[in-house]
């Protein structure tokens, strides 16, 4: 069993930056693919970014490509999402996810574990 706890969300002005962190429990973190999804009020859950188990392969949604960067520190059991040039449309609850599979993948069904989420609000 893996528990995921997100942090780093908050209120930021458009054009600003935030870094989300996801602390994972368990000794198998380094063997899991990880990712981030988000969900805005009244909208469907949206894939944001994914990273494979060793951190050498990443994929991003077109909506965040060039602005967001996913990374991981396996020694610290922590996943990160650096978010730059934030826009009001980035406002959502952001979820950290983990998959027993090692490959980076954009499909929600690929992931076995989900965090509780952290709110990101971008004001215009």
């Amino acid at each position: 069993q893996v528990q995921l706890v997100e942090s780093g969300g908050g209120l930021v002005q458009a054009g600003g930056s935030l870094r989300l962190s996801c602390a994972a429990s368990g000794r198998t973190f380094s063997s899991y693919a990880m990712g981030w999804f988000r969900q805005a009020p009244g909208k469907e859950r949206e894939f944001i970014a994914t990273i494979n188990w060793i951190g050498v392969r990443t994929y991003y949604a077109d909506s965040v490509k060039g602005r967001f960067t996913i990374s991981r520190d396996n020694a610290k059991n922590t996943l990160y999402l650096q978010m730059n040039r934030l826009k009001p449309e980035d406002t959502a609850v952001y979820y950290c996810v983990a998959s027993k599979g090692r490959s980076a993948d954009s499909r929600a069904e690929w992931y076995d574990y989900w965090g509780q989420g952290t709110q990101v609000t971008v004001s215009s």
Side-chain angles (χ1 to χ4, degrees):
Q1 188 74 8
V2 173
Q3 290 188 326
L4 305 172
V5 179
E6 303 95 337
S7 61
L11 174 64
V12 64
Q13 288 188 331
S17 299
L18 282 175
R19 187 175 81 155
L20 304 184
S21 299
C22 172
S25 65
R27 291 176 289 180
T28 54
F29 172 84
S30 61
S31 66
Y32 288 179
M34 304 291 294
W36 292 94
F37 284 74
R38 70 185 181 189
Q39 188 165 22
K43 295 188 177 180
E44 293 186 353
R45 184 173 53 193
E46 176 187 15
F47 162 76
I48 295 301
T50 177
I51 188 167
N52 73 338
W53 68 287
I54 202 170
V56 298
R57 190 171 297 276
T58 58
Y59 298 112
Y60 296 90
D62 288 342
S63 58
V64 306
K65 200 173 294 182
R67 299 188 298 123
F68 290 11
T69 303
I70 188 172
S71 61
R72 65 190 297 162
D73 186 336
N74 285 347
K76 296 182 178 179
N77 278 17
T78 303
L79 177 74
Y80 303 99
L81 184 69
Q82 178 66 44
M83 305 187 294
N84 298 328
R85 291 183 282 138
L86 283 160
K87 304 175 181 179
E89 51 263 44
D90 294 318
T91 295
V93 177
Y94 283 70
Y95 297 92
C96 171
V97 296
S99 171
K100 296 177 184 177
R102 296 192 171 193
S103 301
D105 199 292
S106 63
R107 297 170 296 163
E109 57 266 33
W110 180 247
Y111 296 92
D112 303 287
Y113 304 103
W114 292 69
Q116 292 298 306
T118 185
Q119 176 71 46
V120 171
T121 303
V122 184
S123 63
S124 57

